[in-house]
Amino acid sequence: MSVQERKQRERADRERLIVATARELAEQQGWDAVTTRRLAERIEYSQPVLYSHFRGKREIIGAVALEGASEMAVAMRAATAAADTPRERVAALAHAYLDFADRNPAVYDALFQLDGGLAYAQDDTPEQLKDAFAALMETLSEVAGDGVDPGVFTEVFWASLHGIATLSRSRRLLPEDAEKRLELLVDRLAVL
Amino acid sequence: MSVQERKQRERADRERLIVATARELAEQQGWDAVTTRRLAERIEYSQPVLYSHFRGKREIIGAVALEGASEMAVAMRAATAAADTPRERVAALAHAYLDFADRNPAVYDALFQLDGGLAYAQDDTPEQLKDAFAALMETLSEVAGDGVDPGVFTEVFWASLHGIATLSRSRRLLPEDAEKRLELLVDRLAVL
DNA sequence: CTCGAATCCTAGCACTGCTAGACATCCGAG
DNA sequence: CTCGGATGTCTAGCAGTGCTAGGATTCGAG
């Protein structure tokens, strides 16, 4: 049975290679440049091989999104762990979020801008996404304020961060006010 | 010279027809369905005619965006004009904004999600866009709070609305909490 | 060693945005 | 009224897209 195991392992390796290559290509040249042909060429296989791993391009985007969600959760937890006060934790969280979006624009797009065929805010939402939301909520719960549902508060705070992330990346906001916007958001939304 | 004038008028009419048809098609079936072929067929001309009016598909999206920006500004001003207190004005503004995004998803996408080749937050930004931002700022300035730049405050409030609009439309937020999110946003961000 | 199954690739479909070049139509000068 | 030229429009085509049917090849089990 060892032969089959090796084949399975090789298949899993190749699947990871596809996702990693798609991500790399997307970060380098944008998702538009991630065509099935180019992707196939980079992994040194023919196009149909991609379809033996994923139903289509959208599922590849979804795979990159899930990978990104996990990393984002780690980044946010790491940032908040080092902070002492609630104020600092929220600020660190917001910074970590926007930093991630800034440094991994393609992954961020896969997560929140493109259609990766994933379910959000539902029962069948993948664990990685639930956990990323949980990472947000852990820090935001303590500053939601009395009588405000932590989930709703997290949604609002997240939406604000998302708006800032997307609008500033598409150059629809003034770049020089980035820090002021973040401070304002934290000071006003969080109840300290 | 009257012949030339008539021709110019007809050309302008056709241009409006193109934009209106593109918008209609996008609202009905999404921007993906707005192909140059389908669009050409609907206006009962051949494809190259589109390119005698616009440089390409992106410019058509841009034209729809500008049209939408004007309408959005009107809608927001109308909503705030009827309100008496600052609190009511901000709430009405936020409602009007999200309502517009909800009822004209394709136009909203053209404005803030897709690339219409337009400049934002710059000197050469089209008047329609500047005016839409101005409409936001008119109401938001009075609740920015002391020592906070109205422009920065408007950017933050707008980004929050944008985040809510996009995330809820892509079903990434719980639909049932829509009203709670809006109240929370207004209560926390605005200084009353 | 043979045979069947698993694996992979070539070739192609229907579509996309966009454009070159042929064709028709109509205007204004003579 | 005629004719040349400009203007307007269309047909046909290019290079690219996501995706897939069907044939060739490889490889392990018996």
Side-chain angles (χ1 to χ4, degrees), chain A residues 8-87:
Chain A
Q8 275 193 343
R9 211 169 46 236
E10 285 173 355
R11 237 190 103 77
D13 282 348
R14 198 172 58 179
E15 189 158 318
R16 271 189 293 274
L17 177 64
I18 293 173
V19 176
T21 307
R23 176 175 176 169
E24 198 179 305
L25 194 51
E27 292 294 2
Q28 285 172 357
Q29 313 181 32
W31 276 106
D32 280 351
V34 183
T35 68
T36 54
R37 271 171 249 271
R38 245 191 293 260
L39 187 50
E41 197 191 8
R42 285 227 183 175
I43 64 168
E44 295 180 312
Y45 280 97
S46 68
Q47 274 180 290
V49 165
L50 300 175
Y51 292 86
S52 77
H53 288 272
F54 301 95
R55 287 177 159 277
K57 192 182 170 181
R58 124 193 314 207
E59 261 197 11
I60 297 177
I61 296 174
V64 172
L66 291 184
E67 194 177 287
S70 298
E71 289 177 26
M72 203 170 185
V74 169
M76 291 189 293
R77 289 204 173 96
T80 53
D84 293 324
T85 68
R87 169 77 170 76

Side-chain angles (χ1 to χ4, degrees), chain A residues 91-134:
Chain A
L93 179 75
H95 258 115
Y97 186 99
L98 293 180
D99 265 19
F100 186 90
D102 233 44
R103 286 209 257 265
N104 311 278
V107 173
Y108 193 85
D109 282 347
L111 263 167
F112 304 124
Q113 208 88 8
L114 303 174
D115 178 15
L118 303 175
Y120 287 71
Q122 284 172 12
D123 291 339
D124 58 338
T125 294
E127 278 311 315
Q128 292 95 319
L129 298 180
K130 285 184 180 172
D131 187 56
F133 190 81

Side-chain angles (χ1 to χ4, degrees), chain A residues 149 151-152 155, chain B residues 174-182:
Chain A
D149 180 67
V152 173
E155 283 191 333
Chain B
L174 293 172
E176 60 265 30
D177 293 333
E179 198 57 39
K180 282 186 194 170
R181 285 192 292 263
L182 213 151

